[in-house]
Amino acid sequence: MRMFVKRTACLLLACFLLFSGLPAVLARAEPPEHAGHWAGETIDKWLAEGLIQGFPDGTFRPDESVTRSQFARLVNTVFGFTTEAELAYDDVPQDAWYVRDLAIAVQAGYLKGYAERELRPEQAMTRQEVAVVLARLLNLVPDEAAADGYADVIPAWSKGSVGAVTKAGYMSGYPDQTFRPARIMTRAEAVTILDRILNSLVTTFDAAGTYGPETGTRTIRGHVVVKADHVTLRNMVITGNLTIAESVGDGEVTLDGVTVQGTTAILGGGENSIHIQDSRLGEVDVNRADGPVRIVISGHSSVATVTVHSGATIETSGLKGDGLANLVIDAPEGTEIVLDGTFNRVTIASEQVVVEVTANSTVKEMTLEQAAEVKGQGKIEKAVVQASGVKFERAPETVETSPGVAQPVIAQPAPSPSAPPSSGGG
């Protein structure tokens, strides 16, 4: 099959990019201090989408510098890097918030130390240093000629990288045609550059077909969007997020031997739709706007958490791996969810949903945080009831009810134990 891959600015989901270890306060009664800034529109977009965070006082401080450790955290989150190296630098305190990010950056190879066994984690990055890091990270071919158009002098050690990121469109100069290589990189510049990179690192599959090698593994750096029916992704590692778009409609998408290091969003698919086999996924969000979707998890698959926001059938079949660890139901009132197979932990977090556990299905533990109706003849080994108004069609084997909560209504109580046989009359 011919693969149609588009580089486009698509939906970016659930990447939490932190410039510091401090929590952010984003709610403001007054206009933000970056209002009117040249990068204000991009900053507003990223703040609104939760892609970056500001400081505890509600400010973003767009013109402050970005340190090497902050930039490492930014890159690690964007690209989904998680493997850590052993750090052998004298200036990295073992209890610092950035230790893990630096260990990951060194392992990934885009951040290198200095000859004095220093990594200089709190040193502000210059524009030419950022260019070198990006060129190394994205495997860009050095291009000194592309840097000749700048009016100022670019040092030899960074000129090839500056030219490469300029040619790729990730970095640009100032109105006076200078690049200013030694100038400190600001937070606003970092957000703008990252926005350009993310927009170029979204791979879209918009035609039916099978993508990925028969043997071996293909790694896609960045995010992936599936927009067509009858798409199979196989033997892939996706370092960013995977989105199965609304345009899939009632169609089918298969993940066969796929690892997604970011979040998987299922926005499309129908009654025979999403097949996850021999795959490893982390967080999965299900939210189809115009109908239920069926998701089948099978084989040597491992899925950390599926959160359901809309009508769905979740099925586990022929599992040989870890399967689905957690299922969270957080959908509007009246939404119907069908469970078919074996489930370790199910949490009902929204009120007045209807959950059907089909016959021959087993839920090892179900926690009901809100009033809900649980239908079907499937087995629930343990139910933890934390809200009044819960109804069961078939009685769970064990019920734990929180203090002050009304006992659940059970339409079909568990059968009483049979009386022992008589030993004979007299």
Side-chain angles (χ1 to χ4, degrees):
M1 294 287 184
R2 181 184 177 187
M3 181 177 70
F4 293 81
V5 180
K6 293 182 178 179
R7 299 292 187 181
T8 181
C10 293
L11 179 65
L12 305 177
L13 299 170
C15 294
F16 295 98
L17 311 179
L18 303 179
F19 275 108
S20 71
L22 298 174
V25 177
L26 300 183
R28 301 182 180 91
E30 301 178 356
E33 102 286 1
H34 61 268
H37 193 275
W38 64 266
E41 184 176 344
T42 302
I43 293 170
D44 282 336
K45 180 184 72 173
W46 282 50
L47 286 171
E49 295 178 0
L51 301 175
I52 51 174
Q53 294 182 347
F55 290 90
D57 63 358
T59 62
F60 182 75
R61 306 175 194 174
D63 295 320
E64 285 194 3
S65 62
V66 174
T67 66
R68 286 164 59 84
S69 57
Q70 291 170 346
F71 200 79
R73 171 168 287 191
L74 198 67
V75 170
N76 293 342
T77 308
V78 170
F79 286 86
F81 295 138
T82 58
T83 305
E84 301 177 39
E86 291 290 335
L87 292 181
Y89 298 97
D90 297 332
D91 61 343
V92 181
Q94 293 305 306
D95 59 348
W97 66 265
Y98 47 70
V99 169
R100 182 173 181 271
D101 286 295
L102 294 183
I104 293 172
V106 171
Q107 177 64 32
Y110 66 83
L111 195 66
K112 299 184 181 298
Y114 297 85
E116 306 84 24
R117 288 174 54 90
E118 295 179 349
L119 202 54
R120 305 180 187 176
E122 299 184 18
Q123 176 176 293
M125 296 191 74
T126 63
R127 287 170 49 81
Q128 62 185 340
E129 288 173 332
V130 170
V132 170
V133 166
L134 294 180
R136 190 182 295 147
L137 175 71
L138 301 172
N139 297 315
L140 301 180
V141 177
D143 191 340
E144 294 187 2
D148 287 338
Y150 291 116
D152 48 354
V153 177
I154 313 294
W157 66 270
S158 66
K159 188 173 182 179
S161 297
V162 169
V165 297
T166 299
K167 184 176 182 179
Y170 299 140
M171 295 183 69
S172 58
Y174 293 88
D176 62 358
Q177 305 303 313
T178 61
F179 184 79
R180 306 179 193 179
R183 180 168 177 159
I184 297 300
M185 172 68 66
T186 67
R187 290 162 59 83
E189 288 177 317
V191 169
T192 302
I193 292 169
L194 186 63
D195 191 61
R196 293 170 185 160
I197 291 175
L198 284 177
N199 288 341
S200 71
L201 292 182
V202 176
T203 302
T204 301
F205 298 96
D206 59 359
T210 298
Y211 306 100
E214 291 186 12
T215 60
T217 303
R218 175 190 175 188
T219 298
I220 297 182
R221 301 290 184 191
H223 307 293
V224 170
V225 178
V226 176
K227 301 181 71 173
D229 181 14
H230 286 97
V231 168
T232 295
L233 305 183
R234 67 182 181 189
N235 300 327
M236 281 187 184
V237 174
I238 300 170
T239 65
N241 303 325
L242 168 64
T243 299
I244 298 175
E246 294 182 33
S247 56
V248 171
D250 293 327
E252 299 184 34
V253 173
T254 298
L255 307 181
D256 184 2
V258 174
T259 296
V260 180
Q261 296 178 351
T263 298
T264 299
I266 299 176
L267 309 179
E271 296 180 355
N272 299 300
S273 56
I274 311 302
H275 303 272
I276 302 170
Q277 58 193 42
D278 301 330
S279 296
R280 299 181 63 85
L281 308 180
E283 301 291 327
V284 178
D285 287 315
V286 181
N287 194 5
R288 185 182 175 187
D290 56 354
V293 60
R294 174 172 172 256
I295 300 168
V296 181
I297 303 170
S298 63
H300 293 279
S301 289
S302 173
V303 181
T305 301
V306 172
T307 303
V308 179
H309 302 288
S310 59
T313 294
I314 311 297
E315 180 179 335
T316 62
S317 175
L319 284 174
K320 301 175 183 177
D322 296 333
L324 173 58
N326 297 286
L327 174 64
V328 179
I329 299 171
D330 187 7
E333 180 178 341
T335 301
E336 296 186 3
I337 311 294
V338 178
L339 308 184
D340 189 357
T342 300
F343 300 86
N344 294 316
R345 288 184 295 275
V346 175
T347 300
I348 300 178
S350 52
E351 192 170 6
Q352 300 301 333
V353 295
V354 179
V355 179
E356 179 181 355
V357 182
T358 64
N360 301 319
S361 295
T362 298
V363 176
K364 296 181 180 179
E365 182 173 324
M366 176 180 286
T367 300
L368 297 100
E369 298 177 351
Q370 301 288 342
E373 180 181 357
V374 182
K375 303 193 304 183
Q377 295 300 310
K379 180 171 67 174
I380 301 174
E381 295 182 358
K382 179 182 179 180
V384 180
V385 179
Q386 300 177 347
S388 300
V390 170
K391 300 178 181 179
F392 290 100
E393 181 175 339
R394 174 182 173 178
E397 294 183 351
T398 302
V399 178
E400 292 183 3
T401 305
S402 298
V405 171
Q407 291 294 321
V409 175
I410 299 175
Q412 181 181 331
S416 301
S418 301
S422 173
S423 59

